[in-house]
Amino acid sequence: MRLRTILPLLAQPPWPPLVVVTLFGWGATIACGQAPAMSALCVAAGSWYERGPRAVEAALFLASPAQIGAAWLLMLVAMMTPLVADPLQHLWCRKPAIVVFLACYFGIWLSMAPILIGIALLLDVADGLAGMPAGLSAAVLALAWQATPWKRACLDRCRRRPGLDAVGDVSALRDGIAQGGWCVGACWALMLVPLAAGQAHLPAMALVSAIMIGERRRSPRPCGRAPLAAREGLRL
């Protein structure tokens, strides 16, 4: 997308406040300087079957669950805020609905923190078996998920706007949960990359953010070749 096309787009609602919020998220994340609990991976030593428990203990020693959750929330604000531009544009004239939608969307992603951070810790433990850096393992996993029809089905559903009928608090609640769920399905593997990237956390965040934004701006592709389970899910 050319710069002369992007600038007029950024001047239209809801982009101005989204840009401000996104920049705040990036600034706060850069100030923190690390992925949530990932510094614990550097101090876990010993054999591979000992490193998992030690990594978890070190993570909780270096940061409380509240601090880990706050760091994860900053990552979400920095990386996910641009992805909700289309749904928010549709809801822009209904401010209470926006609050409900965002609370549900980010609530879904916040609930994924223990799972994704746990997977990142497991990838680091697996380094003791395969000798592959956790960041590289996460990148391979993300590339594999990117190529699946399930990923494409989730992404196509993410790009749909909320329904046009009866846009209100109940509809925003339903759409926020649905959008968050489909977004998790599309992006969970990509989000593992910055979590497991160690010292390359911030560059990995920037790369993954660019990939996710680029995916959202492309037109949906037909999902006729998706597995039956994915096609049935899209009808819900």
Side-chain angles (χ1 to χ4, degrees):
M1 189 179 295
R2 296 180 179 178
L3 183 61
R4 63 183 180 182
T5 306
I6 295 176
L7 291 179
L9 175 65
L10 294 181
Q12 301 175 4
W15 278 107
L18 291 186
V19 169
V20 172
V21 173
T22 300
L23 291 177
F24 166 80
W26 276 102
T29 301
I30 291 171
C32 293
Q34 291 184 359
M38 289 302 102
S39 57
L41 301 179
C42 300
V43 299
S47 58
W48 68 268
Y49 55 83
E50 295 174 327
R51 294 178 70 193
R54 290 185 180 181
V56 174
E57 291 175 4
L60 294 177
F61 175 79
L62 294 173
S64 68
Q67 290 173 317
I68 295 173
W72 175 244
L73 179 59
L74 288 177
M75 278 187 64
L76 295 179
V77 169
M79 301 177 71
M80 296 299 171
T81 301
L83 304 186
V84 296
D86 286 343
L88 291 191
Q89 186 177 38
H90 178 72
L91 300 171
W92 197 244
C93 60
R94 298 174 181 265
K95 298 303 188 290
I98 290 177
V99 174
V100 173
F101 177 89
L102 291 177
C104 294
Y105 177 86
F106 282 102
I108 293 291
W109 269 110
L110 280 172
S111 69
M112 290 299 296
I115 298 173
L116 293 181
I117 293 176
I119 294 174
L121 290 169
L122 289 175
L123 290 176
D124 185 74
V125 172
D127 180 21
L129 291 174
M132 181 181 294
L136 182 57
S137 299
V140 171
L141 179 60
L143 287 174
W145 180 251
Q146 291 288 102
T148 65
W150 292 283
K151 153 74 180 191
R152 186 169 67 248
C154 290
L155 180 60
D156 289 343
R157 193 66 176 88
C158 280
R159 287 187 285 225
R160 296 187 183 183
R161 295 190 178 188
L164 294 176
D165 299 330
V167 178
D169 290 350
V170 175
S171 179
L173 176 69
R174 179 195 64 217
D175 291 330
I177 293 173
Q179 187 81 9
W182 288 114
C183 190
V184 166
C187 303
W188 69 270
L190 285 171
M191 290 296 287
L192 284 177
V193 177
L195 284 176
Q199 296 299 318
H201 168 60
L202 292 174
M205 275 184 62
L207 176 60
V208 168
S209 293
I211 292 173
M212 293 191 299
I213 293 173
E215 287 179 337
R216 292 302 192 281
R217 307 320 299 177
R218 288 199 296 265
S219 300
R221 292 181 295 176
C223 55
R225 297 175 63 184
L228 178 61
R231 294 201 304 268
E232 290 298 327
L234 290 174
R235 296 173 187 168
L236 296 179

